[in-house]
Amino acid sequence: MTLPSARGPVTTGPRRLTSTLYAYAFCDEFVLLYPVYALLFADTGLSVWQISTLFGLWSLTGLFLEVPSGVWADAVSRRLLLWLGPLLTAAGFALWVLVPSYPAFALGFVLWGAGGALGSGALEALVHDELDRLGAAGRYAEVMGRARAAGLVATMAATGAAGPVFDRGGYLAVGAASVLVCLLAAGVATRFPEHREPRAAGGGRAGGLRAGLAEARADRSVSGALLLVPAVSAVWSALDEYAPLLVRDTGVAAGTVPWLLLVIWAGATAGGLLAGPAGRLGTGGLAALLTGAALALATGALLGTPAALVLVGLAFGGFQLATVLADARLQERIDATDRATLTSVAGLGSEVGTLAVYGGYATLATGAGHAAAFAWAAVPYAVTAVLLKAAGGRSGARRGRGRNESPDGGARTQ
């Protein structure tokens, strides 16, 4: 099934695209169930083990569907997947509050995981191709950075709104609001412009995946960009879940924890907004950014004071910025035909990395505490920075040889 092209003429400027994207990103994260769904599970009588299995089921659903959904997005309509995904999520949330039970929670997580997988890859591909059509591909990092910032603002707003709504109507009211905002996100998604022709059906979905992987193998810059995305996004995405525990370990009262979390997420929001000015940051600059963010993360965690959480916020801002820039590098290097497919492959790498971080974090935090676990989480970023710096040096050396040698290998005369 392929949706028709946008109603507006092909000459429409980027404003419709960006305004739709920012509204979609906000609606996608303005979910009042986020701060309380773990409480819903516990109040229904689920054990910690059962709740953990639900989280695992959610992650596994995303893992299994990440790449197939990207291939599907390239084969049909990316806009189709962007409005279908929130509908699946809405159905999952409705199940949770209407028939709260372990089977309903499990099915809800499968639907939520499927909905998230449908949008992963399809959104980035649609935005990049539409900007490219308008001659504004260079704005991709800026636009996606603002979209991520909009999502973080929505998360913080939902956290603040969940309490009053819950006090008035309990889980049913919070769930109803979450379902409504998902339906609103689906409606917003229908406004995305899309002017691409779906990929030819030759070879089917498996053929599309093979073509995308062949592109990555044939071009080292593509494979490098493909690996960079999970390298910069996987670790801090996992740390997000443990940030409240780090904040509580600074010795503050439980009621103060949400306010200090806002400091951390303000840093991440600022990182997204800086993606535009930092869009031309080279390999060396990206390595320096990761090094600084890693140092800030380790120092802020180990100091163990509320004031030091500002450093953790700066680190999250650096990681957010690096994530947007890594995605922009990938989009610049891949072919439009396989864009959603390869973006989903990168997303799969991020999901696998995040699951690995969950296991490693549990081991470290159990033995040494949350501050030490956060500090050790800075090590992969330091390693990535070293590898980036080395790769940049090799590229510079190759460019130098190209300038100073003649085609037959001899030195050029000046």
Side-chain angles (χ1 to χ4, degrees), residues 268-288:
T269 303
L273 293 175
L274 289 172
R280 297 188 180 277
L281 205 62
T283 300
L286 185 56

Side-chain angles (χ1 to χ4, degrees), residues 373-395:
F374 264 73
W376 275 105
V379 173
Y381 288 108
V383 172
T384 300
V386 170
L387 294 175
L388 277 173
K389 190 172 182 180
R394 288 194 299 270
S395 298

Side-chain angles (χ1 to χ4, degrees), residues 281-303:
L281 205 62
T283 300
L286 185 56
L289 173 66
L290 289 175
T291 300
L295 288 172
L297 178 66
T299 303
L302 291 176
L303 286 175

Side-chain angles (χ1 to χ4, degrees), residues 104-117:
F105 296 149
L107 180 56
F109 266 120
V110 170
L111 290 170
W112 188 7

Side-chain angles (χ1 to χ4, degrees), residues 5 135 168 276 361 380 400:
S5 298
R168 287 181 174 273
Y361 187 97

Side-chain angles (χ1 to χ4, degrees), residues 40-143:
L40 169 63
F41 303 156
D43 289 347
T44 305
L46 269 62
S47 67
V48 174
W49 182 86
Q50 287 176 309
I51 294 173
S52 297
T53 62
L54 291 175
F55 291 153
L57 181 61
W58 183 27
S59 296
L60 288 174
T61 301
L63 282 175
F64 283 122
L65 296 181
E66 180 77 32
V67 174
S69 67
V71 177
W72 189 25
D74 283 332
V76 290
S77 165
R78 293 161 182 169
R79 182 172 55 188
L80 166 65
L81 272 62
L82 291 176
W83 65 255
L84 181 59
L87 296 182
L88 295 179
T89 303
F93 290 162
L95 278 174
W96 286 2
V97 294
L98 292 177
V99 284
S101 61
Y102 184 85
F105 296 149
L107 180 56
F109 266 120
V110 170
L111 290 170
W112 188 7
L118 290 181
S120 177
L123 180 66
E124 294 87 349
L126 184 147
V127 172
H128 188 280
D129 284 354
E130 287 300 311
L131 286 173
D132 187 44
R133 180 185 65 85
L134 296 166
R139 290 188 57 199
Y140 177 81
E142 173 190 354
V143 168

